[in-house]
């Protein structure tokens, strides 16, 4: 049995499409939004639908042999897994954003609201800028609107959320995309299968 952790939500369909394109039977995975475990007709591959930020945990612990996860999560949580391939999907930019017309007061620490505490801390530390982190779990854009923070560090995909909330990107930290990852022990024992899968995916996304 080979186990694959897939990110629930906006990436799931694209990842299933990629896997289907290289011969995996993912037809059932997108058919039932409440089911979490799917096994293909031959009983050889199982798929787990997990919260995107949890994919790397399942892979690191070996419950899943491979998974697909955003580079943002890899940089933030630094899981002990192999990163095998940039899948070129789920593209967005880790950015600093603020309300239109924001002027930074350099006399005091910058208040930064974010889910990505480590990425934000490392970024501002590289700029020698003192910050106060406000850790949030979602709807980060609300923090500057309510003047709880000066800026946010968050992923920007289409820019619609920022635009609709009268905010703008003030700097780009790094490009982000989905990555194929593997458990280190699985890779040791199933390297033939994993390498073949990786090569096929690499070919398919060319
Ligand atoms: C993410 C991110 C932004 C939004 C950016 O949130 O945190 O809010 O998407 O996308 P856009 O540039 O296309 O508008 P998500 O939808 O994952 O929900 P969250 O607010 O719960 O983090």
């Amino acid at each position: 049995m080979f186990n694959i952790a897939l990110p629930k939500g906006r990436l799931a369909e694209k990842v299933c499409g990629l896997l289907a394109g290289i011969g995996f039977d993912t037809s059932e995975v997108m058919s039932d939004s409440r089911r979490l475990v799917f096994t293909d007709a031959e009983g050889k591959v199982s798929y787990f639908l997990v919260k995107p930020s949890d994919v790397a945990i399942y892979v690191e612990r070996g419950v899943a042999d491979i998974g697909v996860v955003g580079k943002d999560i890899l940089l933030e949580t630094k899981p002990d897994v192999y990163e095998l391939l940039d899948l070129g999907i789920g593209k967005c930019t880790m950015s600093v954003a603020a309300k239109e017309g924001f002027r930074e007061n350099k006399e005091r620490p910058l208040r930064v609201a974010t889910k990505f505490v480590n990425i934000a801390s490392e970024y501002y530390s590289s700029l020698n800028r003192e910050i106060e982190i406000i850790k949030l779990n979602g709807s980060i854009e609300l923090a500057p609107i309510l003047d709880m923070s000066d800026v946010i560090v968050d992923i920007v995909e289409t820019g619609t959320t920022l635009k609709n909330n009268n905010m703008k990107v003030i700097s780009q930290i790094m490009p982000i995309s989905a990555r194929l990852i593997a458990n280190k022990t699985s890779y040791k024992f199933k390297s033939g299968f994993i390498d073949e899968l990786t090569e096929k995916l690499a070919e398919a996304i060319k």
Side-chain angles (χ1 to χ4, degrees):
M1 181 61 85
F2 191 74
N3 297 316
I4 305 181
L6 298 174
K8 260 201 282 194
R10 54 176 112 180
L11 260 185
E13 212 162 319
K14 283 184 185 163
V15 178
C16 283
L18 275 179
L19 288 171
I22 61 161
F24 282 77
D25 174 15
T26 57
S27 53
E28 267 201 50
V29 181
M30 299 310 298
S31 63
D32 180 347
S33 63
R34 289 285 160 191
R35 232 172 94 193
L36 301 171
V37 180
F38 300 84
T39 303
D40 69 348
E42 291 179 31
K44 285 188 178 157
V45 182
S46 274
Y47 304 91
F48 312 139
L49 274 181
V50 311
K51 201 175 149 100
S53 52
D54 288 341
V55 167
I57 299 172
Y58 286 82
V59 174
E60 186 177 39
R61 298 187 72 88
V63 174
D65 297 299
I66 63 164
V68 173
V69 61
K71 182 70 178 175
D72 50 337
I73 308 293
L74 294 179
L75 290 167
E76 180 63 22
T77 64
K78 299 190 167 61
D80 189 20
V81 296
Y82 290 132
E83 184 182 325
L84 300 177
L85 184 67
D86 181 348
L87 293 170
I89 54 175
K91 283 188 180 177
C92 50
T93 309
M94 186 63 66
S95 306
V96 181
K99 280 194 292 190
E100 288 284 354
F102 168 72
R103 291 277 169 275
E104 184 174 337
N105 179 352
K106 297 205 164 151
E107 306 287 297
R108 61 167 174 77
L110 189 69
R111 296 169 306 159
V112 182
T114 188
K115 273 191 268 198
F116 302 99
V117 170
N118 295 326
I119 291 175
S121 302
E122 278 166 30
Y123 174 68
Y124 282 105
S125 150
S126 77
L127 299 177
N128 275 325
R129 177 70 167 108
E130 203 185 327
I131 60 168
E132 178 196 339
I133 288 268
I134 301 165
K135 163 89 166 89
L136 294 176
N137 298 300
S139 302
I140 318 295
E141 294 82 0
L142 202 50
I145 292 171
L146 303 179
D147 199 29
M148 185 164 78
S149 79
D150 299 308
V151 298
I152 63 171
V153 167
D154 201 7
I155 51 172
V156 177
E157 190 178 0
T158 61
T160 310
T161 311
L162 290 181
K163 192 163 169 258
N164 290 358
N165 288 290
N166 202 28
M167 294 175 65
K168 64 171 184 187
V169 170
I170 53 175
S171 34
Q172 297 189 326
I173 300 179
M174 67 188 81
I176 300 292
S177 56
R179 308 297 161 104
L180 179 69
I181 57 170
N183 172 269
K184 289 190 166 176
T185 309
S186 299
Y187 190 73
K188 208 163 151 188
F189 293 105
K190 303 177 187 175
S191 62
F193 187 78
I194 295 174
D195 279 343
E196 193 186 329
L197 179 156
T198 307
E199 277 162 30
K200 282 185 184 165
L201 280 175
E203 191 60 34
I205 60 176
K206 249 187 201 167

